Amino acid sequence: MSKKKKDEAVEAAEEKVEETAAEQAEEEQPEEKDETAEKIKALEDEVAAGKDKYMRLAAEYDNYRKRTANEKLSLYDDATAKAVTELLPVADSVRMALENLKDADPEILKGIELISNQLDKSLEKLKVEAFGKVGDDFDPNLHNAIGMVDNEELGSDKIAAVFQTGYKIGDKIIRHAMVQVTT
């Protein structure tokens, strides 16, 4: 058979199929159309329910992932805070030594300053921040006021003296600063 005859035969067959499909569509009864529409509606509802379930599961997983990431960071901060709490008396002793040894041998003073600087760098690497300096505003959430004093130069509700430096990691307070506050 030649190619032209094959193409004509294919076209004729396609036309016949289209005519048959059109005749069957005309012959379908209204009940079958309603039944088909109901099946389509049921399937659409099922797909919508599946999509909703999938979206809720995806959102729940995302929340779980964020929550566990926050918990991991919190655990790290808690462990660091616990370790740093044990080292804070050493930091206090080094600072007191620096303050009280002003008249000591310069070599000893230099050695203690090096130790103090090394301790400060170590705390900085752990993201531990010191707070509570003279002249700062008094914040009862950060500072523990152990006394009050009149001081015209600083104004009211300012830190006049620091007896113990405070430390924090981010928003977590490791130790409150013990301060004297102006009235």
Side-chain angles (χ1 to χ4, degrees), residues 168-182:
K168 65 181 180 173
I169 296 177
D171 293 335
K172 181 179 180 60
I173 304 296
I174 297 173
R175 180 175 79 182
H176 291 81
M178 282 198 236
V179 297
Q180 188 175 43
V181 182
T182 60

Side-chain angles (χ1 to χ4, degrees), residues 6-103:
K6 284 182 184 178
D7 288 341
E8 289 176 4
V10 169
E11 286 180 22
E14 287 176 354
E15 287 177 14
K16 195 170 191 178
V17 168
E18 288 176 9
E19 289 174 10
T20 306
E23 289 173 6
Q24 286 178 351
E26 290 174 6
E27 291 176 2
E28 281 186 12
Q29 297 177 3
E31 293 173 7
E32 290 178 14
K33 288 182 182 179
D34 289 343
E35 212 174 275
T36 305
E38 287 176 13
K39 286 181 183 178
I40 290 173
K41 176 71 174 146
L43 291 172
E44 286 174 348
D45 290 345
E46 188 177 327
V47 168
K51 185 177 179 181
D52 182 58
K53 184 177 177 182
Y54 170 76
M55 295 301 284
R56 288 178 188 273
L57 183 64
E60 189 175 318
Y61 174 73
D62 189 46
N63 290 338
Y64 166 77
R65 186 179 49 78
K66 289 176 184 176
R67 186 174 57 250
T68 55
N70 287 339
E71 287 173 359
K72 284 180 185 177
L73 288 175
S74 177
L75 285 174
Y76 174 77
D77 287 349
D78 290 344
T80 303
K82 187 169 179 123
V84 168
T85 300
E86 297 299 319
L87 295 174
L88 291 181
V90 175
D92 292 338
S93 297
V94 169
R95 286 193 179 79
M96 278 195 249
L98 276 175
E99 290 174 10
N100 294 323
L101 293 176
K102 295 291 181 189
D103 299 331

